């Protein structure tokens, strides 16, 4: 038996999660009686002390999970002897689905400067992106949505991970964000010659008018985007003091959404200011990213239309007084104002039953610390730990359109799982220290603490 998680006694959980519900136990028992696994076809067996198979539902007790290649094939009650198949001993752990972060930026980090493009090569960006992806995977996030990384390094990383060339989380990407000229997503803050040399107009995703914005969507689809990311409003980190109002016009928004949906692509809208949030929802975007100044009327509309909120907290939580010293006065002022309403978007979403998906804005905040947002969602929602966990599993998978493959531990799903010490339904902070990560049925090495 392989013991890959054997911490000191003081780190072990002191209690088990709840026992199997009657219906689930009956289902698993009947499956165990009807099917005896064929040893020759098994790749991996996991003995888990507790399993949150479907976040939001009651946890299972001691369970055996059978994995074949990259898929889960069986969940059996108790610890089943499966012959010579390798067994992962997680009897003192809680097993749950791999986590999903629906808002990351792998091509940069908080240390990235505006002028990095003058120094970094595409190869530099690719290697940095791989490093950021590795940190994210080791933190227990087996799937991400990258919503705005420069150039095509992120496309290469996504494909290399998919092919198994390098390890990393499963990536769904937008590529470069679409924005107005000079808006959030387009480059500003450098002199004109430098900007034009490093960030030519067609490189940044800037567009003007419905026709050109539709063209940008088609270009993104042509070159392999999984979704479209737009910046409907100004951004907090934009090096300008023009506020957070609506940027893309209603006509441009409608053209983008109509074109994207005709191509089978969802639209994620960066939107801070209330007018821009409302305009994005009215245009039919699939998710509002940030939604800092979300109001009650728009929250009701989002709930009615099924529009998702991805309430990123990484930006406001990651910049302390020492860190803000390197930010421009314009950015510092926007951060200060946004902090005054921090958490209002989550509270409104909970109150009006808006769909919430977990997303951190990692890249603006440090990569690999994604799970720190769970405690903030619980504190500010107030979301329950169960709801916060569900937002990063079942609900995030639904936003991605991947519910058939991700978000729960069930036969036929990808074998993406993590193990933690303790009960995340009682203490969501246990997700900040993942003991074991399994992606596609493969055990991911964890660095020493």
């Amino acid at each position: 038996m392989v013991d890959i998680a054997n911490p000191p006694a003081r780190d072990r959980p002191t209690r088990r999660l709840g026992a199997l519900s009657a219906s689930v136990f009956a289902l698993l028992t009947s499956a165990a009686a009807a099917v005896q696994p064929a040893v020759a076809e098994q790749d991996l067996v996991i003995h888990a002390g507790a399993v949150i198979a479907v976040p939001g539902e009651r946890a299972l007790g001691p369970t055996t999970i059978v994995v074949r290649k990259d898929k889960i094939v069986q969940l059996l009650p108790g610890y089943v002897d499966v012959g010579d198949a390798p067994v992962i001993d997680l009897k003192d752990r809680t097993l749950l689905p791999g986590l999903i972060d629906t808002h990351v930026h792998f091509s940069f980090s908080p240390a990235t400067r505006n002028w990095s493009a003058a120094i970094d090569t595409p190869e530099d960006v690719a290697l940095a992106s791989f490093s950021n992806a590795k940190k994210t995977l080791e933190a227990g996030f087996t799937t991400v949505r990258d919503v705005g990384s420069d150039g095509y390094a992120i496309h290469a990383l996504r494909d290399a991970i998919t092919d198994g060339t390098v390890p990393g989380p499963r990536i769904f990407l937008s590529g470069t964000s679409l924005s107005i000229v000079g808006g959030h997503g387009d480059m500003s803050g450098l002199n004109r010659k430098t900007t034009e040399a490093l960030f030519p107009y067609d490189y940044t995703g800037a567009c003007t008018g419905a026709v050109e914005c539709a063209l940008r969507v088609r270009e993104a689809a042509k070159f392999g985007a999984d979704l479209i990311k737009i910046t409907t409003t100004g951004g907090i980190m934009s090096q300008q003091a023009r506020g957070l109002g609506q940027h893309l016009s209603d006509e441009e928004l409608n053209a983008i959404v109509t074109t994207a949906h005709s191509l089978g692509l969802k639209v994620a809208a960066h939107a801070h200011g209330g007018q821009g949030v409302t305009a994005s929802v009215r245009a039919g975007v699939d998710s509002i990213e940030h939604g800092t100044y979300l109001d009650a009327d728009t929250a009701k509309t989002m709930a009615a239309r099924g529009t998702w909120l991805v309430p990123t907290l990484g930006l406001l939580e990651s910049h302390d007084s020492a860190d803000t010293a390197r930010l421009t006065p314009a950015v510092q002022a926007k951060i200060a104002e946004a902090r005054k309403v921090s958490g209002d978007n989550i509270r409104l979403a909970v109150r009006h039953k808006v769909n919430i998906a977990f997303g951190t804005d990692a890249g603006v905040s440090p990569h690999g610390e994604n799970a720190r947002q769970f405690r903030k969602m619980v504190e500010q929602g107030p979301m329950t730990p169960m709801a916060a966990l569900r937002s990063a599993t079942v609900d995030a998978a639904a936003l991605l359109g991947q519910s058939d493959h991700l978000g729960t531990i069930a036969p036929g799903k990808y074998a993406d799982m993590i193990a933690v010490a303790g009960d995340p339904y009682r203490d969501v902070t246990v997700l900040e220290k993942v003991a074991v990560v399994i992606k596609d049925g493969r055990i991911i090495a964890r660095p020493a603490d």
Side-chain angles (χ1 to χ4, degrees), residues 96-144:
L96 55 150
L99 303 174
I100 303 172
D101 190 331
T102 67
H103 194 118
V104 305
H105 305 278
F106 278 155
S107 72
F108 57 87
S109 73
T112 304
R113 299 296 188 262
N114 285 349
W115 58 87
S116 293
I119 303 169
D120 296 340
T121 66
E123 293 81 3
D124 292 327
V125 175
L127 288 172
S129 298
F130 168 66
S131 175
N132 294 332
K134 183 173 181 289
K135 292 175 184 175
T136 303
L137 178 61
E138 290 175 346
F141 289 81
T142 54
T143 300
V144 302

Side-chain angles (χ1 to χ4, degrees), residues 311-319 339 341-347 350 356 358-360 365 369-385 387-389 391 427-432:
T312 61
L313 302 177
L315 171 63
L316 301 182
E317 299 302 328
S318 64
H319 295 289
R339 279 184 172 148
V341 297
S342 181
D344 284 358
N345 54 355
I346 296 178
R347 287 186 283 274
V350 171
I356 298 176
F358 186 95
T360 62
S365 58
E369 298 181 7
N370 313 59
R372 293 176 61 181
Q373 178 166 294
F374 285 111
R375 68 170 73 199
K376 296 298 181 182
M377 296 175 79
V378 171
E379 291 170 358
Q380 295 184 9
M383 295 181 74
T384 64
L389 174 59
S391 77
D427 179 8
V428 77
T429 65
V430 302
L431 298 173
E432 296 175 19

Side-chain angles (χ1 to χ4, degrees), residues 115-398:
W115 58 87
S116 293
I119 303 169
D120 296 340
T121 66
E123 293 81 3
D124 292 327
V125 175
L127 288 172
S129 298
F130 168 66
S131 175
N132 294 332
K134 183 173 181 289
K135 292 175 184 175
T136 303
L137 178 61
E138 290 175 346
F141 289 81
T142 54
T143 300
V144 302
R145 195 178 56 154
D146 188 295
V147 285
S149 282
D150 295 335
Y152 289 97
I154 189 65
H155 291 67
L157 177 62
R158 174 198 61 187
D159 296 343
I161 291 171
T162 299
D163 293 342
T165 305
V166 297
R170 189 172 288 101
I171 298 176
F172 297 87
L173 61 84
S174 68
T176 303
S177 302
L178 308 189
S179 71
I180 66 167
V181 176
H184 186 69
D186 195 15
M187 175 49 66
S188 59
L190 303 176
N191 68 52
R192 181 163 185 160
K193 287 186 177 180
T194 302
T195 300
E196 290 175 348
L198 297 177
F199 303 97
Y201 179 69
D202 62 350
Y203 174 85
T204 63
C207 61
T208 301
V211 173
E212 188 174 36
C213 287
L215 172 62
R216 290 283 189 247
V217 172
R218 292 180 177 124
E219 287 176 340
K222 175 181 178 179
F223 293 114
D226 300 305
L227 68 144
I228 300 299
K229 165 71 178 302
I230 62 176
T231 57
T232 308
T233 74
I236 289 177
M237 295 299 290
S238 298
Q239 302 301 313
Q240 52 191 247
R242 291 193 289 275
L244 301 174
Q246 182 176 345
H247 280 186
L248 288 163
S249 69
D250 288 356
E251 182 184 29
E252 290 165 339
L253 284 169
N254 289 330
I256 289 169
V257 173
T258 299
T259 305
H261 286 175
S262 73
L263 296 171
L265 300 178
K266 292 186 177 183
V267 179
H270 157 108
H272 286 288
Q275 182 181 357
V277 174
T278 302
S280 298
V281 174
R282 186 170 58 242
V285 303
D286 299 279
S287 64
I288 295 294
E289 313 295 310
H290 314 303
T292 305
Y293 294 95
L294 175 68
D295 59 60
D297 287 341
T298 304
K300 293 176 184 177
T301 303
M302 290 174 67
R305 299 187 65 148
T307 311
W308 291 80
L309 175 68
V310 181
T312 61
L313 302 177
L315 171 63
L316 301 182
E317 299 302 328
S318 64
H319 295 289
D320 57 24
S321 58
D323 188 46
T324 53
R326 70 178 178 82
L327 303 176
T328 64
V331 172
Q332 291 186 42
K334 286 183 283 187
I335 289 177
E337 287 300 310
R339 279 184 172 148
K340 294 178 182 178
V341 297
S342 181
D344 284 358
N345 54 355
I346 296 178
R347 287 186 283 274
L348 282 169
V350 171
R351 184 181 310 153
H352 296 292
K353 297 180 172 56
V354 176
N355 294 326
I356 298 176
F358 186 95
T360 62
D361 214 357
V364 176
S365 58
H367 295 283
E369 298 181 7
N370 313 59
R372 293 176 61 181
Q373 178 166 294
F374 285 111
R375 68 170 73 199
K376 296 298 181 182
M377 296 175 79
V378 171
E379 291 170 358
Q380 295 184 9
M383 295 181 74
T384 64
M386 181 184 291
L389 174 59
R390 186 179 173 91
S391 77
T393 49
V394 176
D395 295 336

